[in-house]
Amino acid sequence: MNELVRNRAIGASSASASHRAASEMVLSTMALSETKRMARAHSAAVHSLAIDNIEHRYLLSTGADISIQLYDLNNFEQTATCSRQVAPTSQIAANTASTHTRLVSGIDWYPLDNGMFTTSSFDHTLRVWDAESMTEACQFDLESRVFSHCMSYTGGHALIAATDESAHIRLCDLRTGSFAQSLLAHHSGSMAAAWSPEQPFVLASGGIDGTLKLWDIRRADSQLCSFGHSGDSEASPSDSSSTAIGGSVSSVLFTGDGGRVISMGSSGKVSVWSIASPDNPLVECQLSVSKGSNALSGSTQMALTTATTRQATDYEMLFCPSGSNVIATIDIANGKQVASLNSHFAPVLCVAWRPEHLELYSSGADGNVLIWCPPVAEELSEEQRQIRQDTWSGSDGDDVEEPT
Amino acid sequence: MSLETLVTELTETGLDSLNTTKLQELKCYCQQQQSSSTDGHSPVFSAFQALLRALSKEHAQIRLSSLQAINELFVRSHEFRQLVVGELPCIMGLVFGAYQRPLPRPSEHAALLKQLGCECMYLWTEKYGAAYQRLVLGFRYLRYTVGVDFKAAARAVKRNDPVQRERMRVGRLENRREYMERVLLAVRMEFMSMRPAIEEALWTLNGCFTILIPDIADLFGDPYSSSRRAEEDWDADDVDEIMAVMAVNRHAVDVDVNPERVIETEENVNNAAVYDVMRDYLRLCVLRYEPRLAAWMDRLGRLDNMDVDELLESVRGMQRRVVDVVSKCTDLGVGVGVLHKSDDDDEGDEFETVPADYHDKIRATRRKVHNGKRQDSEEPLAFKRHPVFSLLGEPGLESDPTYVRPEVLRMAAPTTAGRLIETSSNAVEDELRLTAPVVEYGPDLLYWGKSAVDANTSGLEISHRFLGSAREEATVSGAALDNLRTRVVYYSDDVAAGRQQQQSPEVIRACRAPLNKSGRLCPRRDRIKCPLHGPIIDRDDNGQPQGGFIVEERDVDTEAAESSTAAARLSTVATAETIADVEWRDVEVLINQQQQRQQQQQQRSKRQKREEPAPKSALVDIRKSKSTKKNRLLETMLRKKPR
């Protein structure tokens, strides 16, 4: 750190480089937060997390136990055993009459207002909820299991792109309550999709067949390009998928500038593609995935640290669930795995970045939601410090009085 | 000693608990400032790595010992805790078994390992969970996802926690104290409320006695005593005392007493009212007050460390007086009949008549167990009977040749018949009686000498609906009467044998060989040989055979013979009365003999030790195939095949 400051002071490194280095230094030390904890609210795997886009304060979680929990992240309660704990402020219990009947695969806030959120489920429905009263507003029946859904942050339209087992990606229009469009995208269904943060009508989608496609929904033919193909979509998808994407696409993400698409394959391959040159990935990173782990056969959610300025030099760190108990921290500029966050006792399914707080939230198949933050941001309580002290007995040879 | 060998020696003992000195060495190693190893890791890190390697060995006993060592260091070092927390999934997999990687053999130690793992996880989470969040997550994972049951572990941890144990002990003491206070209060209230009634009964009964019994002062024509009586009021007790002293010392006191007047036991028209009153109060005393008092005594006797002496004393005094009065009534011949009569007409018999000495016995034994200091004061309530009426209850009275058992006339009806015959003095009868056989009383004797036995003893007239009424003299026929008069004796081998067996039933002893797993003794009862442990022999409390082996017995025999011959020779030693009489040469021989014997014993013990060297490690050899039926059969078959 001192060297960094010195280099910046004498002008040896540019402002952006210093910024990068400092960010990397802080973000690579991310660890499990000891001072803040999430209460255990789910009894089964937590498949999806969503932090609101406006205040970055409210967290939604849902998963295999069908219940939906809403947390206020600024509202801590003091507990006897740990210093601060976030408990759900409200919830939709699993046995409520009008709720999902199968695993809830995805949850998302309405990007422009915290009064509404959407969920997609294996019970073939996509539901819209009123966050205030925690009741259902409307629902779309997609007639097949929905893996994920997403909305555009730009506010240019109110379309929800839902990816399901069918060959189509359906666009559900919140304004009319009906399907606006169907994109014939992937033969065997699609697992993940993402709207561009810059252009409201640009959508990226990843299929189970291992193809990653870019769409402009306004165009008649819709499809802009397919990543990892040299312009020719005639080649058999299974061959190319094994090399370009690495198995079925489990997660798709746009970078903050909207110029790059990040995809993760089920074999643990993370690729960064440029929209300008879709043929070859800019950066590739192969995560170590344990053999036989099938956690990535479903959809997962990656998270990217948000850029403060829209510059190419902005430092962006990718956190991705690697299919095992570990969250991999990847520098997307060079594809290097900077660190691995290891505290889940079952495969990690979802991570969410909380902007402006340097906090990462992750959930996994063990039903826990964990908070990660750089250790420098933490101040242990007196009690915790006491517990963390060594308690060697006074003399080496005598420890009879020591309670065990 | 290097760390690796230290950890190996610590964990591969195969014992249930760790070697304290080795553990101490490991702790010392961890507390060193700089590591002796060259790789630059801290000593705690090296120790953790070594223990983790030991934990991953494929042997449940080694894993168990390793986990114990890990727990020891875990509760001490923050660095060690962080390392353990970092490797928690791996450690959990090794301790609880992972998918397709079950715990190694031996299985009973694997179960112990799991149990210890539960206890460790519970304890760690409870103590350190606040500062190490991953511990909580691991605990949750085990509990909710894997489904490990931590209830038993929680109980074990609570049980072993000294604070909890102390709290429970104090709670128990508190409960007991409260209970005692309640009991004391209840007894006191009851006693206070019933006291006047008892007093009244006693007073009345005593009054009745004075009416029925001539005053003792009237018996003595002694002017001194009468004058004394005139001066001061005599207590009944004082008179009792005098009588007691006189009775025991058997002074030659000439008392001119009209024998009919001493005890006026006959109930007649004149004193019928008195008797009725006595009966009423006696019934109250016997049925109500006595059991009550006994119950109070019992309850008070159970209270220890309480201030009950005063109450106890008053209750005991009351009980003594009641018993005294009741015995007096019995002496007067009121008691027994009253009790029997009262059975049918006293409907309020809510108290079980418990024999008083039953409680006394219980109390006495309880006191002996509880506090020995009160034991002396607590004589079982052997009340001194005040011999006002007679020396009836006196224990040594029967052996006194001057004593003639008094006849209680009211009771005499059934028994006097025999006695009258006995006492009737007829020379011929006496002659006959000398030679007459003594026959047990039976039904034949009942009908002996009766010529006609009434068949209908019910007193009702039997009249049949169709056959009409029976004959007037419904008597047993002659043949039947003869049958009745015949004594029937059954002689049977079975009966005789059975009687013999009852007298000395054969005791089949238990085998009592020590059992391996449970540590108890074999409870099988066989006559000669236990199918599992061989012939049944004498064994001590631990199941070890008593009375050595045959070879040793012979040794002992020869030694004993030698020593006896020596003793015979060393007559001076054997017969010496003072030390000066001893011939020192003889003593020398004795001492030599003793030394030789000691040496022999030492040699024998050495030989035994050499034969059984202590096993280096108690680890179970898991490579050795289990000796199951199938394996043994296979072994035999494979061995025979080549031939």
Side-chain angles (χ1 to χ4, degrees):
Chain A
M1 195 71 189
N2 287 335
E3 192 188 348
L4 197 72
V5 173
R6 182 181 141 270
N7 283 346
R8 181 71 195 118
I10 62 175
S13 62
S14 65
S16 60
S18 301
H19 183 221
R20 261 185 77 92
S23 304
E24 185 179 346
M25 194 172 285
V26 170
L27 290 175
S28 62
T29 59
M30 292 280 278
L32 194 63
S33 168
E34 289 290 353
T35 56
K36 279 182 277 183
R37 295 178 186 191
M38 303 288 281
R40 186 184 163 87
H42 290 280
S43 57
V46 182
H47 279 263
S48 189
L49 296 172
I51 295 176
D52 76 285
N53 205 26
I54 311 225
E55 289 180 84
H56 309 303
R57 181 177 169 182
Y58 298 102
L59 174 76
L60 284 167
S61 71
T62 188
D65 66 346
I66 308 174
S67 73
I68 298 167
Q69 311 284 344
L70 172 64
Y71 306 86
D72 181 353
L73 296 179
N74 288 350
N75 187 10
F76 295 101
E77 59 183 38
Q78 215 74 20
T79 60
T81 50
C82 79
S83 51
R84 291 188 291 173
Q85 180 165 319
V86 184
T89 48
S90 58
Q91 63 166 336
I92 299 170
N95 52 7
T96 313
S98 65
T99 187
H100 289 289
T101 52
R102 297 274 191 280
L103 179 151
V104 187
S105 55
I107 193 163
D108 209 356
W109 284 100
Y110 180 60
L112 305 176
D113 183 11
N114 282 350
M116 188 161 73
F117 63 90
T118 51
T119 56
S120 56
S121 166
F122 277 19
D123 65 357
H124 302 183
T125 60
L126 192 151
R127 300 187 192 215
V128 183
W129 303 84
D130 183 349
E132 200 64 46
S133 59
M134 295 298 266
T135 50
E136 187 188 322
C138 69
Q139 74 176 56
F140 300 89
D141 189 0
L142 288 109
E143 292 161 348
S144 64
R145 295 197 293 176
V146 189
F147 288 122
S148 73
H149 68 283
C150 59
M151 291 194 73
S152 173
Y153 287 89
T154 55
H157 55 79
L159 295 174
I160 306 169
T163 58
D164 56 17
E165 284 179 315
S166 69
H168 299 273
I169 292 176
R170 312 269 206 108
L171 302 181
C172 318
D173 196 343
L174 277 178
R175 274 184 282 226
T176 59
S178 61
F179 300 111
Q181 200 172 343
S182 283
L183 306 174
L184 181 58
H186 308 278
H187 292 299
S188 48
S190 48
M191 207 88 92
W195 291 97
S196 164
E198 290 291 311
Q199 289 146 337
F201 299 104
V202 174
L203 179 77
S205 73
I208 295 171
D209 56 1
T211 52
L212 180 66
K213 291 177 179 173
L214 194 68
W215 309 84
D216 186 340
I217 57 167
R218 293 168 301 184
R219 280 163 57 127
D221 58 348
S222 294
Q223 184 173 342
L224 285 175
C225 63
S226 178
F227 291 101
H229 294 266
S230 352
D232 185 16
S233 56
E234 302 297 317
S236 105
S238 60
D239 292 348
S240 58
S241 71
S242 59
T243 53
I245 307 291
S248 63
V249 180
S250 67
S251 184
V252 176
L253 201 65
F254 266 97
T255 56
D257 56 4
R260 285 166 291 166
V261 177
I262 306 165
S263 71
M264 184 165 69
S266 59
S267 65
K269 193 174 187 181
V270 177
S271 314
V272 182
W273 311 83
S274 170
I275 291 177
S277 58
D279 296 344
N280 292 305
L282 290 175
V283 172
E284 273 186 336
C285 174
Q286 179 64 48
L287 302 175
S288 58
V289 176
S290 57
K291 281 273 179 198
S293 98
N294 54 356
L296 282 182
S297 55
S299 71
T300 57
Q301 285 179 25
M302 296 187 290
L304 200 62
T305 59
T306 47
T308 45
T309 55
R310 300 281 163 83
Q311 290 177 1
T313 52
D314 259 344
Y315 184 73
E316 284 178 314
M317 191 79 93
L318 178 75
F319 299 100
C320 58
S322 67
S324 62
N325 306 349
V326 179
I327 302 166
T329 310
I330 298 169
D331 184 351
I332 57 165
N334 51 20
K336 224 168 53 185
Q337 185 171 345
V338 177
S340 54
L341 308 178
N342 179 11
S343 264
H344 276 285
F345 284 84
V348 187
L349 296 172
C350 178
V351 291
W353 176 254
R354 188 182 182 195
E356 298 166 20
H357 283 83
L358 277 182
E359 277 176 358
L360 181 75
Y361 290 80
S362 71
S363 68
D366 54 0
N368 289 325
V369 179
L370 302 185
I371 308 177
W372 305 81
C373 66
V376 289
E378 288 200 299
E379 178 101 15
L380 288 178
S381 70
E382 185 57 41
E383 189 188 338
Q384 283 179 318
R385 239 174 285 149
Q386 209 162 4
I387 292 172
R388 280 178 164 243
Q389 271 175 359
D390 281 3
T391 50
W392 294 104
S393 46
S395 61
D396 284 351
D398 174 35
D399 66 339
V400 181
E401 80 283 356
E402 190 62 41
T404 52
Chain B
M1 193 191 296
S2 77
L3 177 67
E4 205 64 34
T5 46
L6 177 64
V7 168
T8 309
E9 283 182 16
L10 182 68
T11 56
E12 298 195 0
T13 55
L15 300 173
D16 287 342
S17 57
L18 293 175
N19 184 338
T20 30
T21 53
K22 292 265 161 53
L23 185 64
Q24 213 51 253
E25 277 180 44
L26 185 63
K27 285 182 199 164
C28 293
Y29 178 86
C30 291
Q31 280 177 280
Q32 286 169 6
Q33 289 304 313
Q34 272 148 7
S35 174
S36 53
S37 60
T38 50
D39 52 5
H41 290 306
S42 74
V44 172
F45 183 80
S46 317
F48 173 72
Q49 291 294 336
L51 282 174
L52 200 59
R53 274 195 293 277
L55 189 68
S56 32
K57 282 178 188 163
E58 285 293 317
H59 196 295
Q61 278 178 302
I62 300 178
R63 287 195 186 182
L64 187 64
S65 298
S66 308
L67 184 60
Q68 283 172 330
I70 286 174
N71 183 37
E72 289 289 332
L73 293 181
F74 185 91
V75 298
R76 282 172 175 78
S77 165
H78 165 63
E79 189 185 349
F80 195 85
R81 282 197 282 274
Q82 278 191 318
L83 289 167
V84 168
V85 165
E87 291 291 336
L88 203 54
C90 167
I91 291 173
M92 269 158 44
L94 291 172
V95 169
F96 291 95
Y99 176 64
Q100 289 184 338
R101 286 193 61 195
L103 292 179
R105 281 165 45 197
S107 51
E108 59 262 36
H109 289 93
L112 276 180
L113 176 67
K114 254 186 191 173
Q115 196 185 331
L116 181 69
C118 281
E119 282 174 29
C120 281
M121 265 321 273
Y122 186 84
L123 191 73
W124 294 352
T125 311
E126 200 174 59
K127 254 179 122 174
Y128 302 101
Y132 303 89
Q133 203 199 340
R134 227 172 150 216
L135 271 178
V136 181
L137 297 176
F139 182 77
R140 279 186 197 168
Y141 173 71
L142 283 177
R143 188 167 165 196
Y144 295 113
T145 311
V146 181
V148 175
D149 188 10
F150 280 99
K151 280 185 198 133
R155 276 199 298 275
V157 166
K158 283 215 178 84
R159 202 166 46 237
N160 294 334
D161 188 9
V163 179
Q164 281 276 348
R165 222 185 303 163
E166 181 62 23
R167 198 179 301 154
M168 276 173 67
R169 200 181 64 83
V170 168
R172 269 203 302 273
L173 283 182
E174 189 69 19
N175 281 351
R176 183 161 170 69
R177 208 177 53 77
E178 263 175 39
Y179 166 75
M180 285 181 183
E181 270 172 13
R182 272 208 310 278
V183 166
L184 181 61
L185 192 67
V187 169
R188 181 165 282 152
M189 296 298 285
E190 271 183 49
F191 181 63
M192 289 303 166
S193 63
M194 281 195 71
R195 191 178 196 160
I198 301 177
E199 291 279 6
E200 190 207 335
L202 290 176
W203 186 82
T204 316
L205 280 174
N206 278 323
C208 291
F209 295 148
T210 51
I211 294 170
L212 289 175
I213 314 299
D215 197 313
I216 204 74
D218 296 343
L219 290 177
F220 298 98
D222 196 336
Y224 170 69
S225 66
S226 56
S227 67
R228 244 190 93 181
R229 189 171 183 266
E231 286 162 11
E232 52 197 300
D233 263 355
W234 274 28
D235 269 33
D237 282 352
D238 291 341
V239 178
D240 289 351
E241 288 287 317
I242 289 170
M243 286 303 288
V245 168
M246 292 176 78
V248 170
N249 294 341
R250 294 196 202 91
H251 293 290
V253 179
D254 289 332
V255 183
D256 187 18
V257 179
N258 187 356
E260 276 95 47
R261 275 198 60 213
V262 173
I263 301 174
E264 200 169 346
T265 51
E266 282 292 345
E267 183 179 350
N268 51 36
V269 188
N270 297 331
N271 56 16
V274 179
Y275 268 90
D276 283 344
V277 172
M278 270 176 72
R279 261 184 224 114
D280 287 346
Y281 278 101
L282 180 63
R283 195 180 307 151
L284 267 181
C285 280
V286 172
L287 295 179
R288 191 150 300 172
Y289 302 148
E290 253 187 342
R292 261 298 160 91
L293 285 163
W296 289 336
M297 288 295 290
D298 182 40
R299 285 166 81 179
L300 288 177
R302 281 172 208 207
L303 310 180
D304 39 42
N305 305 326
M306 299 279 291
D307 189 22
V308 296
D309 285 343
E310 190 190 342
L311 187 61
L312 193 67
E313 205 46 57
S314 49
V315 172
R316 190 183 291 147
M318 188 68 82
Q319 193 181 19
R320 195 176 290 143
R321 282 164 64 193
V322 168
V323 168
D324 194 20
V325 161
V326 169
S327 70
K328 279 179 187 175
C329 290
T330 317
D331 291 349
L332 272 176
V334 181
V336 185
V338 163
L339 287 184
H340 288 309
K341 209 176 93 186
S342 67
D343 276 344
D344 47 14
D345 63 3
D346 192 339
E347 71 291 337
D349 190 8
E350 60 209 86
F351 299 108
E352 202 183 334
T353 49
V354 185
D357 66 329
Y358 166 75
H359 295 283
D360 296 337
K361 274 176 202 160
I362 288 179
R363 192 157 43 247
T365 49
R366 283 176 61 84
R367 281 296 167 85
K368 264 178 209 165
V369 173
H370 278 302
N371 44 354
K373 61 173 184 177
R374 278 198 191 178
Q375 199 183 334
D376 47 356
S377 70
E378 184 56 43
E379 291 272 306
L381 289 172
F383 296 122
K384 195 177 73 179
R385 295 274 310 271
H386 298 289
V388 179
F389 312 126
S390 67
L391 301 171
L392 266 180
E394 226 34 69
L397 207 60
E398 298 281 342
S399 55
D400 193 342
T402 61
Y403 171 74
V404 178
R405 178 187 284 277
E407 292 170 25
V408 181
L409 292 178
R410 287 168 59 90
M411 294 284 298
T415 53
T416 42
R419 194 171 289 184
L420 281 173
I421 290 168
E422 247 175 60
T423 49
S424 72
S425 55
N426 187 336
V428 183
E429 233 180 84
D430 284 346
E431 286 270 324
L432 284 174
R433 195 175 290 133
L434 278 178
T435 53
V438 178
V439 183
E440 264 184 70
Y441 185 77
D444 51 340
L445 289 185
L446 178 68
Y447 299 112
W448 196 262
K450 284 186 182 174
S451 55
V453 175
D454 199 358
N456 179 16
T457 54
S458 65
L460 298 170
E461 191 186 344
I462 296 172
S463 61
H464 197 269
R465 281 167 71 187
F466 306 119
L467 302 176
S469 63
R471 284 176 309 178
E472 283 172 13
E473 57 274 19
T475 53
V476 177
S477 67
L481 195 61
D482 281 345
N483 270 340
L484 283 177
R485 287 207 205 106
T486 313
R487 167 147 305 209
V488 183
V489 180
Y490 296 97
Y491 289 104
S492 164
D493 286 349
D494 292 342
V495 171
R499 206 171 283 165
Q500 246 181 6
Q501 246 183 8
Q502 272 183 354
Q503 279 165 3
S504 60
E506 190 188 350
V507 179
I508 299 178
R509 295 189 299 167
C511 168
R512 285 168 58 76
L515 296 175
N516 271 341
K517 278 181 190 168
S518 62
R520 286 179 301 189
L521 301 179
C522 173
R524 259 196 85 96
R525 290 176 189 277
D526 298 282
R527 278 173 195 274
I528 295 156
K529 186 181 175 190
C530 172
L532 303 170
H533 302 104
I536 291 170
I537 51 172
D538 287 333
R539 289 175 189 275
D540 62 6
D541 291 340
N542 297 326
Q544 297 302 319
Q546 278 182 331
F549 297 105
I550 300 164
V551 182
E552 283 182 4
E553 272 174 15
R554 204 175 55 209
D555 280 359
V556 170
D557 284 348
T558 52
E559 277 169 16
E562 276 174 18
S563 63
S564 67
T565 53
R569 269 192 285 119
L570 304 170
S571 53
T572 58
V573 180
T575 57
E577 279 180 17
T578 62
I579 197 83
D581 296 340
V582 174
E583 288 250 8
W584 287 110
R585 270 180 307 168
D586 298 343
V587 176
E588 194 182 19
V589 177
L590 260 186
I591 291 171
N592 280 344
Q593 243 177 7
Q594 186 71 26
Q595 275 178 344
Q596 274 176 5
R597 208 174 297 165
Q598 276 176 357
Q599 278 172 357
Q600 279 174 0
Q601 276 174 355
Q602 278 173 359
Q603 278 175 356
R604 204 177 296 157
S605 62
K606 268 183 195 168
R607 221 180 299 141
Q608 276 178 354
K609 266 182 194 165
R610 231 176 288 134
E611 280 163 7
E612 300 171 11
K616 197 182 166 194
S617 163
L619 283 184
V620 177
D621 188 1
I622 54 172
R623 274 166 297 192
K624 198 166 71 183
S625 65
K626 259 190 187 166
S627 170
T628 58
K629 282 176 192 165
K630 188 181 170 190
N631 281 354
R632 282 198 298 272
L633 279 173
L634 273 178
E635 224 172 72
T636 323
M637 283 165 69
L638 291 175
R639 210 169 42 228
K640 277 183 182 169
K641 250 184 190 171
R643 286 182 190 174

